[in-house]
């Protein structure tokens, strides 16, 4: 059996009993999230600014068309077309330009055989690490058991084989019971499970 970390994203419109903490306006902030049936995860979150060229902006528009959204493609483009690989890719800037939130797991050794992202509507994604970025709306924050993502967020994640994937939560709104709710957001929670290796084989092929 394999020890797998499930990263589950579900729509929610209940905030009054979650004791949500907003991410502070700091360069980097650390926080902990509990894992069902597992150990606590340590995260850091940073708000990072980038600037890009006209060709980079054209790449953003291509991503918008591909994902079927009209805002937030820059979050994915920064990973997909980094300046380290593309001469006119996005480069880090100081508090100006396009911005996104970058979350990184601070745990040195997660101790999992695999990390599987389970977003609503979209197919599961086997991740290379527990690091991702999001943007497209004002930040929500976190509680002791989940990370709260705004309803208009676009996630940028990296698959096991290094492919950058964009996940626009806006397209998941129709899966919510109260899709027009003012309080609608997406809760990212974590669970440790034991699964047979064939489970991962089916996801990878």
């Amino acid at each position: 059996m394999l020890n797998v970390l499930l990263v589950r994203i579900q729509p929610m419109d209940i905030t009054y009993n979650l004791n949500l903490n907003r991410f502070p306006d700091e360069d980097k902030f650390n926080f902990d999230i509990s894992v069902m049936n597992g150990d606590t995860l340590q995260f850091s979150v940073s708000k990072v600014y980038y600037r890009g060229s006209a060709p980079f902006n054209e790449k953003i528009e291509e991503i918008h068309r591909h994902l079927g959204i009209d805002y937030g493609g820059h979050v994915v483009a920064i990973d997909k077309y980094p300046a380290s690989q593309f001469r006119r890719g996005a480069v880090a800037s100081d508090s100006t330009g396009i911005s996104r939130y970058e979350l990184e797991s601070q745990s040195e050794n997660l101790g999992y055989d695999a990390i599987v992202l389970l977003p609503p509507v979209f197919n599961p994604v086997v991740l290379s690490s527990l690091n991702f970025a999001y943007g497209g709306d004002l930040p929500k924050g976190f509680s002791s058991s989940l990370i709260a993502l705004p309803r208009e967020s676009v996630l940028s994640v990296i698959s096991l084989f290094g492919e950058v994937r964009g996940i626009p939560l806006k397209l998941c709104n129709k899966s919510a019971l109260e899709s027009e709710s003012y309080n609608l957001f997406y809760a990212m929670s974590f669970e440790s499970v034991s699964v047979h290796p064939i489970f991962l084989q089916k996801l990878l092929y």
Side-chain angles (χ1 to χ4, degrees):
M1 300 294 282
L2 298 178
N3 188 20
V4 175
L5 178 65
L6 296 182
V7 183
R8 196 184 310 274
I9 300 177
Q10 296 175 300
M12 296 185 70
D13 66 357
I14 299 175
T15 58
Y16 57 83
N17 61 349
L18 292 178
N19 296 319
L20 285 180
N21 300 294
R22 294 186 70 84
F23 292 131
D25 190 15
E26 300 176 7
D27 290 341
K28 183 167 285 192
F29 175 75
N30 298 322
F31 62 100
D32 295 340
I33 297 288
S34 62
V35 178
M36 186 180 299
N37 304 322
D39 296 328
T40 298
L41 294 172
Q42 292 82 43
F43 279 95
S44 71
V45 60
S46 308
K47 187 175 184 180
V48 183
Y49 293 86
Y50 293 86
R51 53 185 172 82
S53 61
F56 179 77
N57 292 335
E58 291 175 3
K59 295 296 186 184
I60 292 176
E61 291 305 314
E62 288 179 12
I63 290 173
H64 287 162
R65 288 191 292 270
H66 174 73
L67 296 182
I69 55 176
D70 54 11
Y71 182 76
H74 66 278
V75 179
V76 182
I78 288 166
D79 289 326
K80 203 171 183 66
Y81 306 104
S84 60
Q85 292 177 262
F86 299 96
R87 183 165 48 90
R88 295 189 178 183
V91 295
S93 178
D94 294 328
S95 301
T96 58
I98 55 179
S99 67
R100 69 177 192 168
Y101 288 87
E102 298 178 353
L103 285 93
E104 302 178 69
S105 170
Q106 298 300 294
S107 304
E108 293 183 3
N109 182 11
L110 292 175
Y112 292 100
D113 298 306
I115 303 170
V116 179
L117 177 67
L118 301 173
V121 181
F122 298 98
N123 293 330
V125 181
V126 181
L127 301 178
S128 62
S129 66
L130 194 51
N131 299 340
F132 64 96
Y134 79 92
D137 200 353
L138 295 175
K140 278 293 184 184
F142 66 99
S143 72
S144 60
S145 60
L146 59 84
I147 297 172
L149 302 169
R151 63 189 293 166
E152 302 292 325
S153 294
V154 178
L155 272 65
S156 177
V157 301
I158 300 177
S159 73
L160 182 62
F161 299 116
E163 179 188 2
V164 176
R165 300 277 189 92
I167 301 174
L169 298 184
K170 180 178 181 178
L171 301 186
C172 301
N173 286 352
K174 61 184 179 182
S175 70
L177 289 174
E178 301 291 342
S179 60
E180 302 303 319
S181 169
Y182 175 79
N183 292 320
L184 179 67
F185 69 97
Y186 287 87
M188 176 181 284
S189 59
F190 305 87
E191 181 179 359
S192 176
V193 298
S194 295
V195 300
H196 194 278
I198 197 171
F199 169 77
L200 286 182
Q201 292 176 7
K202 290 182 177 180
L203 290 180
L204 293 173
Y205 297 102

